């Protein structure tokens, strides 16, 4: 169990495993460790409760674009979902309920912002600095999600704006937008949910679009009382529904990653939707994408296009030249006055600031390593040069078509098995071999080369500055699960712990 240790005059709390972050990934691993009776761990969470992106993103209209029954843990199905696509509040309530049900909240340190994770070669442990004190750990697991660090646009004068300004992921609920002149920068997944929600109550809304997204229908509806009773009381009914959703979603991989020409079917659906929902030919031309569907994230909405067609909404496609105290100036010289500015420009995915905090044995941060070679990992879980460090939702684990929770559970199984192997074999350090990582990534990039993400004619946050897709998994998700079913210690370099340091393995 945890104990206090003193290192060079600094008193630190030591635990065998520290997990950083408690969204779906970190919470799921905490539950897994408890189930395996590996109680010597802590979860450090910078927020005030569990939930991750679903705790942070509370903007109007926030909802999931993966069906409810699939966007949940397989070991904690929820028969109480109220509709086919859940809203933010319901998902956050579900996550909090799972944490309470499985009794892992006492293993959390909340309001704990991790500022440094540094390898100590003398002790072969990680030294962790945080806003809640100093820690050491034999192993660190980063469960910091990809969608947690808001990306702000680099626009001249943005800091001089005097009205209300906030990122979609840091929504200011005290700001009343009613009757105001509002601008929103961005047309991604968050923006298409925000725009229809606020358009009816603002005086005027300017939507600044850099790239038009492809939209598909959102088949969302409330569940009937009869359906909810069936989910709750008929054995296997909910799992069967979940399996059907999973299978249907998995078929999209054929077009996205195997035969991109098949995406033409989805494009025909999207074009028909566009013609049906936007009456103005000029506006329709503005919001028609110029790349193959699937190259960027496919979005689903039934009310975004109709919102753009409102008299009080304008879509601005001229680039922004400058932001003034209460206006935006576009590159053609037009100045538009506004009272509030919403920044919906996404997140730092391939360049997360959290990578600056992780310092390996050679003194380089993870950011510096990624900057030199690009984001690479082994099975999205381990990185050469960083011993006793694992990742959940690491490089090339993301998806563009189905539930990330499925991938997260696959990685949880892999990392938990790795921690078990360390304990069983009395290992002091475990580090993925460079050749294993290189071989794995070479195969990944070969698979990605022919996908719609690499051939669809768009620039997206899927790609890093080296031009490599370091975000997405280019195959069926069940194949990733097969790869991560067991920890393959043969792909790692290991050292043995001293005899008196061997772990006590739960029986």
């Amino acid at each position: 169990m945890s104990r206090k240790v003193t290192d060079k005059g600094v008193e630190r709390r030591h635990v065998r495993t520290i997990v950083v972050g408690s969204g779906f990934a970190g919470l799921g691993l905490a539950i897994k460790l408890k189930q395996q009776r590996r109680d010597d761990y802590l979860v450090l969470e910078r927020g005030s409760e569990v939930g991750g992106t679903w705790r942070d993103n509370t903007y109007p209209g926030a909802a999931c674009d993966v069906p409810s029954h699939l966007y949940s843990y397989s070991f904690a199905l929820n028969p109480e979902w109220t509709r086919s696509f859940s809203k933010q509040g319901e998902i956050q309530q579900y996550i909090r309920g799972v944490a309470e049900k499985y009794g892992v909240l006492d293993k959390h340190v909340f309001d704990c912002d991790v500022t440094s994770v540094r390898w100590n070669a003398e002790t072969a442990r990680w030294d962790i600095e945080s806003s809640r004190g100093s820690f050491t750990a034999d192993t660190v697991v980063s469960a910091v999600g990809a969608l947690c660090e808001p990306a702000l646009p680099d626009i001249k004068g943005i800091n001089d704006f005097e009205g209300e300004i906030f990122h979609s992921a840091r929504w200011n609920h005290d700001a009343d937008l009613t009757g105001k002149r509002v601008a929103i920068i961005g047309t991604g997944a968050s923006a298409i949910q925000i725009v229809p929600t606020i358009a009816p109550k603002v005086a005027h809304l300017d939507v600044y679009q850099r790239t038009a997204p492809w939209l598909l229908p959102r088949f969302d509806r409330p569940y009937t009382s009869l359906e909810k009773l069936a989910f709750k009381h008929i054995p296997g009914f909910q799992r069967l529904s979940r399996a059907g959703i999973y299978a249907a979603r998995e078929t999209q991989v054929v077009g996205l990653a195997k035969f991109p020409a098949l995406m033409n079917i989805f494009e025909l659906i999207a074009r028909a939707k566009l013609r049906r929902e936007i009456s103005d030919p000029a506006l329709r031309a503005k919001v028609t994408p110029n790349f193959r569907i699937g190259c960027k994230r496919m979005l689903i909405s039934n009310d975004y296009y109709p919102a753009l067609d409102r008299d009080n909404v304008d879509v601005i496609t001229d680039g922004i030249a400058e932001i003034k105290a209460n206006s935006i100036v576009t590159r053609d010289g037009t100045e538009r006055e506004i009272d509030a500015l919403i920044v919906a420009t996404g997140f730092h995915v391939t360049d997360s600031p959290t990578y600056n905090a992780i310092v390996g044995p050679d003194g380089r941060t993870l950011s510096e390593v990624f900057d030199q070679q690009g984001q690479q990992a082994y099975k999205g879980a381990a990185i050469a040069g960083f011993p006793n460090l694992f990742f959940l939702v690491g490089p090339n684990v993301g998806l563009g078509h189905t539930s990330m929770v499925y991938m997260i559970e696959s990685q949880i199984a892999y990392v938990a098995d790795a921690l078990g192997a360390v304990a069983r074999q009395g290992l002091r350090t475990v580090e993925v071999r460079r050749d294993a990582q290189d071989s794995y990534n070479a195969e990944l990039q070969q698979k990605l080369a022919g996908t719609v993400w690499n051939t669809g004619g768009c620039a997206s946050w899927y790609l890093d500055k080296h031009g490599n897709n370091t975000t997405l998994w280019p195959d069926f998700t069940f194949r990733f699960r097969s790869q991560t079913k067991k920890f393959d210690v043969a792909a790692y370099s290991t050292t043995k712990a001293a005899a008196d340091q061997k772990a006590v393995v739960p029986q």
Side-chain angles (χ1 to χ4, degrees):
M1 301 302 291
S2 64
R3 62 188 184 277
K4 295 286 186 180
V5 297
T6 301
D7 176 34
K8 296 181 180 178
V10 179
E11 189 176 69
R12 303 177 185 274
R13 182 179 179 184
H14 178 75
V15 290
R16 183 166 295 280
T17 303
I18 277 183
V19 182
V20 182
S22 190
F24 265 107
L27 175 60
L29 180 59
I31 292 170
K32 186 74 167 180
L33 293 177
K34 180 172 183 179
Q35 290 175 333
Q36 294 180 341
R37 291 190 291 163
R38 302 187 186 282
D39 293 324
D40 194 4
Y41 72 91
L42 283 176
V43 182
L44 309 185
E45 167 55 54
R46 72 179 181 182
S48 58
E49 64 171 328
V50 298
T53 190
W54 294 106
R55 176 199 62 230
D56 295 341
N57 285 267
T58 60
Y59 59 80
C64 191
D65 57 7
V66 174
S68 305
H69 289 298
L70 189 57
Y71 200 77
S72 53
Y73 295 116
S74 63
F75 58 83
L77 299 187
N78 178 21
E80 305 294 339
W81 293 122
T82 61
R83 58 188 314 112
S84 51
F85 288 85
S86 298
K87 296 184 181 298
Q88 174 269 334
E90 191 169 11
I91 297 173
Q92 175 61 13
Q93 183 181 7
Y94 164 78
I95 297 172
R96 188 187 304 117
V98 170
E100 293 170 350
K101 176 181 177 181
Y102 286 89
V104 294
L105 290 174
D106 63 334
K107 290 292 187 179
H108 283 68
V109 182
F110 290 110
D111 300 309
C112 182
D113 189 13
V114 175
T115 56
S116 174
V117 180
R118 183 178 291 271
W119 179 254
N120 187 324
E122 293 181 13
T123 62
R125 289 172 173 168
W126 290 98
D127 293 340
I128 299 103
E129 301 296 337
S130 79
S131 58
R132 297 291 300 274
S134 300
F135 301 84
T136 67
D138 297 331
T139 305
V140 169
V141 181
S142 172
V144 177
L147 307 181
C148 71
E149 293 291 341
L152 298 174
D154 183 15
I155 300 174
K156 179 183 177 182
I158 192 169
N159 294 323
D160 299 327
F161 184 68
E162 295 179 354
E164 293 285 355
I165 178 171
F166 46 86
H167 193 279
S168 57
R170 302 291 184 267
W171 193 271
N172 181 3
H173 291 276
D174 293 328
D176 185 4
L177 302 179
T178 305
K180 300 288 181 63
R181 298 166 300 180
V182 180
I184 182 168
I185 302 175
T187 52
S190 300
I192 69 158
Q193 295 180 342
I194 294 169
V195 167
T197 309
I198 67 173
K201 68 179 183 179
V202 303
H204 189 84
L205 178 62
D206 290 327
V207 179
Y208 285 84
Q209 171 188 284
R210 184 175 62 179
T211 307
W214 282 111
L215 262 64
L216 294 168
R218 184 181 182 88
F219 298 108
D220 187 23
R221 64 176 181 82
Y223 285 124
T224 65
S225 299
L226 187 61
E227 284 174 310
K228 286 188 279 189
L229 282 172
F231 291 140
K232 196 168 188 176
H233 298 292
I234 297 179
F237 181 70
Q238 188 175 12
R239 289 205 177 274
L240 184 63
S241 298
R242 178 184 170 100
I245 296 168
Y246 172 79
R249 288 274 169 155
E250 206 69 358
T251 60
Q252 294 184 27
V253 177
V254 179
L256 291 169
K258 307 295 183 183
F259 305 102
L262 294 176
M263 296 307 296
N264 291 336
I265 299 170
F266 290 94
E267 186 169 322
L268 288 172
I269 296 171
R271 287 187 181 277
K273 175 183 175 64
L274 181 56
R275 288 193 300 270
R276 184 174 64 253
E277 295 180 356
I278 291 188
S279 57
D280 179 8
L283 176 59
R284 194 185 308 138
K286 274 187 177 181
V287 297
T288 299
N290 60 359
F291 55 88
R292 175 173 279 174
I293 191 169
C295 182
K296 285 178 179 283
R297 182 177 175 185
M298 294 182 293
L299 306 179
I300 57 173
S301 176
N302 297 333
D303 50 13
Y304 179 65
Y305 285 152
L308 298 184
D309 214 15
R310 293 174 58 94
D311 291 337
N312 70 327
V313 177
D314 284 328
V315 177
I316 316 297
T317 56
D318 296 313
I320 298 174
E322 181 182 4
I323 296 176
K324 295 186 176 181
N326 46 29
S327 65
I328 294 180
V329 182
T330 49
R331 290 173 188 161
D332 65 352
T334 304
E335 184 171 357
R336 297 173 175 85
E337 293 189 355
I338 57 171
D339 304 305
L341 175 57
I342 301 166
V343 182
T345 48
F347 301 85
H348 290 281
V349 177
T350 60
D351 60 344
S352 174
T354 60
Y355 300 150
N356 290 320
I358 302 174
V359 183
D362 63 0
R364 290 189 300 166
T365 66
L366 188 55
S367 287
E368 291 171 326
V369 172
F370 282 163
D371 186 63
Q372 180 181 359
Q373 67 184 32
Q375 279 199 39
Q376 295 182 11
Y378 180 70
K379 300 186 176 180
I383 296 171
F386 291 83
N388 294 16
L389 178 67
F390 292 98
F391 289 81
L392 300 176
V393 197
N396 290 109
V397 177
L399 300 171
H401 68 287
T402 190
S403 175
M404 272 304 300
V405 183
Y406 183 94
M407 298 292 276
I408 286 169
E409 286 197 56
S410 300
Q411 281 203 295
I412 286 171
Y414 184 79
V415 171
D417 196 45
L419 297 176
V422 168
R424 289 190 302 273
Q425 298 179 33
L427 301 179
R428 188 172 190 237
T429 62
V430 55
E431 177 187 338
V432 67
R433 299 196 326 269
R434 169 68 61 183
D435 63 305
Q437 178 175 300
D438 288 347
S439 175
Y440 178 82
N441 279 276
E443 183 179 348
L444 267 182
Q445 293 304 319
Q446 185 178 14
K447 284 185 176 181
L448 282 160
T451 66
V452 69
W453 309 303
N454 284 37
T455 63
C458 72
S460 73
W461 55 266
Y462 297 152
L463 309 179
D464 68 8
K465 72 173 191 175
H466 300 276
N468 292 321
N469 187 328
T470 60
T471 306
L472 297 177
W473 170 249
D475 207 336
F476 296 105
T477 59
F478 57 78
R479 286 185 175 158
F480 182 80
R481 177 153 293 188
S482 176
Q483 283 190 10
T484 54
K485 188 174 182 180
K486 296 289 290 182
F487 177 63
D488 46 347
V489 70
Y492 292 74
S493 298
T494 62
T495 62
K496 285 281 190 177
D500 59 353
Q501 292 179 320
K502 287 188 178 180
V504 177
V505 183
Q507 300 299 315

